[in-house]
Amino acid sequence: MATTKPELDKPLQLPLSPEDLQTINEYLFPLTPQEILKWAVEYLPGLYQTTAFGLTGLVAIDMLSKLTPSPPPLIFLDTLYHFQETYELVQEVEKRYGQHIHVYKPEGCQTVQDFETKFGEKLWETDEDTYDFAVKVEPAQRAYQELNVRSVITGRRASQGGDRASLQPLEVDATGLLKLNPLCSWTFPFVEWYITQNNVPRNRLLDQGYKSVGDWHSTVKSGDGDGGERAGRWADKQEKTECGLHKDYFAMKARAKLEAQQAQELGKN
């Protein structure tokens, strides 16, 4: 394991070689989340934080507010189907930390009516991959291009299980985007402890029986002992663990394009 800070350019020069990525992760893995975030502010180019204002993301926002007077800007992907409590939390965070939040919605849509006119009702039931692409993946890529994002801070942790079980502090996705997971080694009790000790704003739904909050149509209350900390998300889809934001962008884009073409052909017939 690396014990000293590796000699690297500030900011890092992209693309990052596999060797440099491994060296960086060996250095970052034993560090605290605050130390990882401090390193990231110093080294990662075009750094933003993408957040749906879950507990881990809120911890990172609070930590960064205490580490630097100019924390990375925030990006919120508004699917148009969030709970009202989530929208209220967004306003509370903006007021508490004095940060401007870049809000991105599905392309060409400002309201649910706009979205359903474009894609039909209950797209998450008829074609969940296209739904994920339309509400999360495409808006994220649009945000990254318009804001010149090269690196993002995420709220993912290994203890959340599923595709996240082998999470490293720093990853590179298929598009070349750097993804920093500063709390990857923290468990849920650590996150809750930090939220409580630092009086960090949190979604009021978490006090009403929800363990993890996403879109209202795919989030249900979870009884005591039900599953893990993301229990209640996609409850009727046991194999689903990700919303699409952390899947292969190019594969999802190709599939969405193909399905759009097929829908057009059906419309002509």
Side-chain angles (χ1 to χ4, degrees):
M1 296 288 286
T3 56
T4 58
K5 183 185 292 187
E7 293 294 328
L8 299 164
D9 293 325
K10 296 182 186 179
L12 293 178
Q13 297 300 304
L14 304 182
L16 201 61
S17 72
E19 293 76 20
D20 282 344
L21 180 62
Q22 180 178 347
T23 298
I24 290 169
N25 276 323
E26 288 176 352
Y27 169 71
L28 293 179
F29 199 82
L31 302 185
T32 66
Q34 290 95 331
E35 290 170 334
I36 293 174
L37 287 167
K38 185 177 180 180
W39 176 89
V41 169
E42 188 176 358
Y43 281 92
L44 295 188
L47 181 61
Y48 283 71
Q49 181 177 353
T50 56
T51 181
F53 299 94
L55 289 182
T56 312
L58 292 165
V59 169
I61 291 170
D62 189 79
M63 287 178 172
L64 284 162
S65 74
K66 296 167 181 173
L67 287 171
T68 172
S70 301
L74 300 173
I75 298 172
F76 171 55
L77 303 178
D78 181 2
T79 66
L80 305 174
Y81 291 95
H82 288 292
F83 288 93
Q84 180 59 35
E85 288 84 352
T86 301
Y87 292 117
E88 291 170 359
L89 176 61
V90 174
Q91 295 177 339
E92 186 178 358
V93 168
E94 195 167 22
K95 181 178 180 181
R96 166 79 173 267
Y97 297 102
Q99 278 192 264
H100 173 67
I101 300 172
H102 298 276
V103 180
Y104 278 78
K105 299 180 180 183
E107 189 172 25
C109 303
Q110 289 298 313
T111 66
V112 168
Q113 184 177 358
D114 292 340
F115 186 82
E116 294 184 353
T117 297
K118 184 175 182 179
F119 292 100
E121 296 183 1
K122 298 185 178 180
L123 180 64
W124 59 87
E125 291 184 359
T126 59
D127 190 340
E128 63 177 339
D129 282 345
T130 297
Y131 177 79
D132 287 345
F133 185 84
V135 303
K136 287 287 187 73
V137 182
E138 188 283 326
Q141 290 300 319
R142 185 162 21 100
Y144 300 160
Q145 291 172 10
E146 292 181 2
L147 301 173
N148 196 29
V149 178
R150 311 295 299 282
S151 313
V152 295
I153 296 166
T154 86
R156 296 182 298 161
R157 291 179 290 104
S159 68
Q160 290 169 323
D163 294 340
R164 307 181 179 193
S166 59
L167 212 55
Q168 294 294 306
L170 187 65
E171 299 175 312
V172 183
D173 76 4
T175 69
L177 181 76
L178 298 181
K179 290 184 175 181
L180 184 80
N181 311 303
L183 282 85
C184 65
S185 62
W186 268 27
T187 60
F188 189 61
F190 274 114
V191 174
E192 284 197 308
W193 169 83
Y194 185 96
I195 293 283
T196 301
Q197 290 295 310
N198 293 275
N199 193 30
V200 178
R202 53 181 279 165
N203 197 313
R204 291 188 292 111
L205 291 174
L206 296 174
D207 299 319
Q208 299 176 29
Y210 293 87
K211 286 187 176 182
S212 178
V213 180
D215 290 339
W216 60 258
H217 54 71
S218 58
T219 305
V220 297
K221 293 183 180 181
S222 180
D224 291 340
D226 286 356
E229 61 188 79
R230 281 165 70 82
R233 298 287 296 281
W234 313 294
D236 59 341
K237 299 180 176 68
Q238 299 301 319
E239 75 284 355
K240 186 176 175 68
T241 62
E242 289 289 356
C243 64
L245 191 58
H246 301 292
K247 293 184 178 180
D248 188 320
Y249 165 68
F250 293 110
M252 293 195 74
K253 181 179 180 181
R255 186 179 185 280
K257 183 178 180 180
L258 176 61
E259 292 184 351
Q261 291 172 341
Q262 291 173 339
Q264 288 179 349
E265 289 300 321
L266 286 173
K268 293 177 182 178
N269 298 331

